[in-house]
Amino acid sequence: MVDGHLVEDGTGGRSVIVTGAGSGIGRATALAFAALGDRVLVADLNEAGAQAVVKEIERAGGTAVAVTGDLSEQAVVDRVAETATERLGGVDVLVNNAGIMDRMSALVDVSDSEWERVIRVNLTAPFLLTRAVLPHMLAVGKGVIVNTASEAGLRGSAAGAAYTASKHGIVGLTKNLAVMYRGQGIRANAIAPGGTATAIAVDVEAGAHGPAAIQPHFVNMGRLAQPEEQAAAIVFLASDAAGNINGVVLPVDDGWSAV
């Protein structure tokens, strides 16, 4: 224990924040860290989902706590950071996974509200939470950040204008973090999921230009991943085995990015 922070020893026992952990990739990631013996803060907008994951971890003998709220709000971000340090002993790993889809809208069809909400949740929220926890990591000279980007962060043909811009932003944020803080013991990487079997629904406007223009590109998408496959990549990037991997965006997409 250093300054209230449990130092990672590579065998579990870390304090891990996972956002969007009430379902899908986030849930699978929270369970995977807990299975290693890590203490997990389950952050999600959906209180019922977050509490269900906490109970699932506790039934398996693990330690978890839930914080619910909109992570694009500074007050919620502050509560997440404070809870992790006060109840879990620090912040060793931050997984910025929470996100929302857009309507696959082409730029001319994107409303102000769609743009602002998608950017706020997908890009500003990870920025706010990373800024909040970095001082805790810097204080002990060690920490790992893993962001969930997207295939849409690698190409222009996997989503609408707002989502694509937000995920390209996450890629840039990840690489900037890696360069800025590598000399202070911080690593930052991202996964870029392809199609994954989650409950996220896309509200597509019938006959809109965006979905029609994007659809032909999905023929090369490959098979749908399971959330656990994305979680495995996140856990690896957060592990000591990935100790010299920094600033990487790892596609987990059945080769879609290689097509």
Side-chain angles (χ1 to χ4, degrees), residues 75-90:
V76 177
V77 167
D78 292 342
R79 188 150 45 89
V80 169
E82 290 166 5
T83 302
T85 56
E86 293 173 4
R87 296 187 58 183
L88 299 183

Side-chain angles (χ1 to χ4, degrees), residues 2-246:
V2 179
D3 191 24
H5 185 105
L6 189 64
V7 178
E8 177 187 345
D9 63 6
T11 59
R14 298 168 295 180
S15 172
V16 181
I17 297 171
V18 182
T19 72
S23 62
I25 295 171
R27 172 184 172 273
T29 301
L31 294 176
F33 277 114
L36 294 175
D38 296 322
R39 305 178 307 285
V40 183
L41 188 149
V42 176
D44 203 280
L45 183 63
N46 184 303
E47 183 173 3
Q51 293 293 348
V53 173
V54 167
K55 291 177 181 177
E56 191 170 358
I57 290 172
E58 290 177 339
R59 282 197 300 269
T63 299
V65 61
V67 175
T68 57
D70 187 338
L71 287 163
S72 69
E73 298 177 3
Q74 186 65 55
V76 177
V77 167
D78 292 342
R79 188 150 45 89
V80 169
E82 290 166 5
T83 302
T85 56
E86 293 173 4
R87 296 187 58 183
L88 299 183
V91 184
D92 297 296
V93 180
L94 168 63
V95 180
N96 285 308
N97 169 75
I100 57 173
M101 281 298 301
D102 61 9
R103 303 187 69 193
M104 301 290 185
S105 303
L107 194 144
V108 75
D109 298 319
V110 178
S111 66
D112 288 353
S113 60
E114 180 181 4
W115 176 267
E116 290 166 2
R117 182 60 180 160
V118 170
I119 296 296
R120 186 79 186 167
V121 172
N122 290 1
L123 182 56
T124 303
F127 156 73
L128 291 173
L129 188 51
T130 303
R131 186 177 65 179
V133 306
L134 263 175
H136 302 286
M137 293 180 172
L138 291 169
V140 295
K142 192 172 189 180
V144 180
I145 299 156
V146 184
N147 296 321
T148 299
S150 169
E151 184 71 20
L154 305 176
R155 61 173 74 228
S157 58
Y163 187 84
T164 301
S166 73
K167 292 304 184 176
H168 273 73
I170 284 292
V171 168
L173 183 65
T174 300
K175 292 183 176 183
N176 183 262
L177 280 165
V179 172
M180 288 286 188
Y181 295 104
R182 63 180 177 175
Q184 293 163 279
I186 308 299
R187 292 192 298 111
N189 294 292
I191 64 165
T196 305
T198 70
I200 293 178
V202 181
D203 179 20
V204 175
E205 183 179 353
H209 174 66
I214 291 170
Q215 186 59 41
H217 297 279
F218 283 83
V219 298
N220 292 317
M221 185 175 68
R223 70 170 178 84
L224 285 179
Q226 294 302 307
E228 291 76 14
E229 293 177 288
Q230 305 295 343
I234 292 171
V235 170
F236 164 69
L237 289 173
S239 73
D240 288 349
N244 199 39
I245 299 176
N246 198 14

